[in-house]
Amino acid sequence: QVELVESGGGLVQPGGSLRLSCAASGSIISIYTMGWYRMAPGKERELVASITPGGNTNYADSVKGRFTISRDGAKNTWYLQMGSLKPADTATYYCHADLQYQVPGIGSWEGDWWGQGTHITVSS
């Protein structure tokens, strides 16, 4: 019904930059909040950044000033521009969306969806 596909992960040196993209597709009626989470080895998944349709953003303290979340509502796509990357940013990053979608035979439904995850390694 809904699919979130991420791209843009990889290996980067400390101080470098990367941009992640997440494209949502399927029977989407409306997306309420778009976001990025990450999970590092041995740690719980944490919110990195989120953005509402109105453009309000929220960032984890650890990434403020280094990461920027943005969205293209017309394309149901959002991005995470990451700069000044640190080894502590090494993690699997997941895009997330709270959205309303169409369920055949039922009508509209609301729920949250996750991407498959993309791994980022920050290392020299």
Side-chain angles (χ1 to χ4, degrees), residues 86-102:
K86 306 174 182 179
D89 296 316
T90 295
T92 300
Y93 286 70
Y94 300 88
C95 64
H96 171 266
D98 287 317
L99 52 82
Q100 184 184 32
Y101 58 101
Q102 193 75 22

Side-chain angles (χ1 to χ4, degrees), residues 5-12 17-22 36 80 82 116 118-120:
V5 179
E6 302 149 351
S7 60
L11 173 65
V12 62
S17 300
L18 276 178
R19 189 176 85 152
L20 302 182
S21 301
C22 182
W36 292 94
L80 185 67
M82 302 178 290
Q116 79 281 4
T118 185
H119 191 73
I120 293 174

Side-chain angles (χ1 to χ4, degrees), residues 15-79:
S17 300
L18 276 178
R19 189 176 85 152
L20 302 182
S21 301
C22 182
S25 62
S27 305
I28 297 170
I29 299 172
S30 180
I31 301 180
Y32 302 133
T33 302
M34 303 167 174
W36 292 94
Y37 286 73
R38 69 185 180 186
M39 184 180 292
K43 296 186 178 181
E44 295 185 353
R45 185 163 54 190
E46 64 171 348
L47 173 68
V48 176
S50 64
I51 186 168
T52 67
N56 293 320
T57 57
N58 182 42
Y59 294 94
D61 288 341
S62 60
V63 307
K64 284 180 180 176
R66 301 189 297 121
F67 292 9
T68 301
I69 188 170
S70 60
R71 58 185 290 272
D72 184 337
K75 296 181 179 179
N76 285 339
T77 300
W78 56 106
Y79 310 92

